[in-house]
């Protein structure tokens, strides 16, 4: 996901190691999805928004497809991406689960400025770490996640301020 925050590569490696270590600690939790598929809206920082579709391919594994953008004067971008997620329930709280995973995004961006490279295409790899709550008795799920990314093309490098709140309607 395209953002304006950059950090040193050594910080990115430390961050990814921390996520991997945290995920391995919690992997012992068991999960079974409370639904098969859901579609909804994604609301991010600074008024960014998009569409979100999540479907489970097994009891613990899901694919999340995201179309997300920012369309302000001065800086615009549109990203399409997919994430593979492992979902784990918290045994103490019905409907609450956490997930982690990774994937990739392809985006178009445009800056209103006079310097070279003010528009282009970006390809990024991303991780995801989030919480999801399935509202009991309702066909609604809400999630909040953090999606750090690393731009392989299009500049930007490591960006750690991606993430959103997603509200989805569950259908079977």
């Amino acid at each position: 996901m395209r953002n304006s925050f950059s950090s040193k590569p050594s910080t990115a490696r430390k961050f990814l190691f921390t996520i991997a270590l945290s995920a391995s600690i919690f992997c012992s939790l068991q999960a079974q999805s409370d639904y098969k598929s859901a579609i909804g809206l994604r609301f991010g920082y600074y008024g960014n928004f998009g569409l979100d579709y999540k479907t489970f391919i097994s009891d613990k594994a899901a694919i999340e497809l995201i179309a997300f953008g920012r369309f302000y004067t001065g800086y615009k971008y549109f990203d399409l991406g997919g994430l593979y997620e492992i979902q784990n329930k918290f045994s103490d709280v019905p409907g609450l689960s956490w997930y982690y995973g990774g994937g990739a995004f392809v985006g178009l961006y445009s800056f209103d400025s006079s310097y070279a490279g003010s528009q282009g295409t970006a390809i990024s790899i991303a991780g995801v770490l989030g919480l999801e709550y399935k509202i009991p008795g309702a066909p609604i799920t809400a999630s909040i996640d953090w999606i750090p990314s690393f731009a392989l093309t299009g500049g930007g490098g490591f960006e750690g301020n991606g993430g959103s709140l997603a509200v989805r309607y569950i259908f079977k």
Side-chain angles (χ1 to χ4, degrees):
M1 303 198 79
R2 194 140 216 30
N3 301 304
S4 59
F5 177 82
S6 293
S7 182
K8 296 178 182 177
S10 62
T11 303
R13 279 182 255 148
K14 289 176 186 176
F15 167 72
L16 293 174
F17 174 76
T18 302
I19 287 179
L21 180 62
S22 298
S24 65
I25 291 169
F26 291 106
C27 279
S28 63
L29 297 173
Q30 296 299 313
Q32 184 174 2
S33 62
D34 292 330
Y35 64 94
K36 172 67 177 157
S37 300
I39 191 166
L41 298 175
R42 180 172 273 277
F43 305 94
Y45 63 99
Y46 304 119
N48 299 344
F49 66 94
L51 297 174
D52 188 279
Y53 173 76
K54 186 170 185 175
T55 188
F56 282 85
I57 56 176
S58 73
D59 285 345
K60 289 184 72 165
I63 301 291
E64 187 168 4
L65 303 175
I66 300 169
F68 197 76
R70 176 180 175 167
F71 306 101
Y72 293 123
T73 302
Y75 178 55
K76 301 172 185 166
Y77 72 85
F78 179 74
D79 284 344
L80 290 173
L83 298 168
Y84 176 82
E85 300 168 350
I86 303 297
Q87 194 135 347
N88 298 285
K89 285 189 176 190
F90 286 105
S91 58
D92 297 345
V93 183
L96 183 63
S97 59
W98 70 280
Y99 56 93
Y100 65 94
F105 286 85
V106 175
L108 303 173
Y109 65 90
S110 172
F111 297 95
D112 289 341
S113 69
S114 60
Y115 69 90
S118 62
Q119 61 184 358
T121 302
I123 298 173
S124 301
I125 56 173
V128 63
L129 181 63
L131 290 171
E132 181 174 76
Y133 184 65
K134 162 49 176 96
I135 299 172
I140 303 293
T141 183
S143 66
I144 188 164
D145 56 31
W146 180 45
I147 305 175
S149 64
F150 186 83
L152 300 173
T153 66
F158 176 75
E159 298 176 359
N161 64 347
S164 305
L165 168 70
V167 178
R168 293 182 289 268
Y169 173 77
I170 298 169
F171 60 94
K172 303 273 178 181

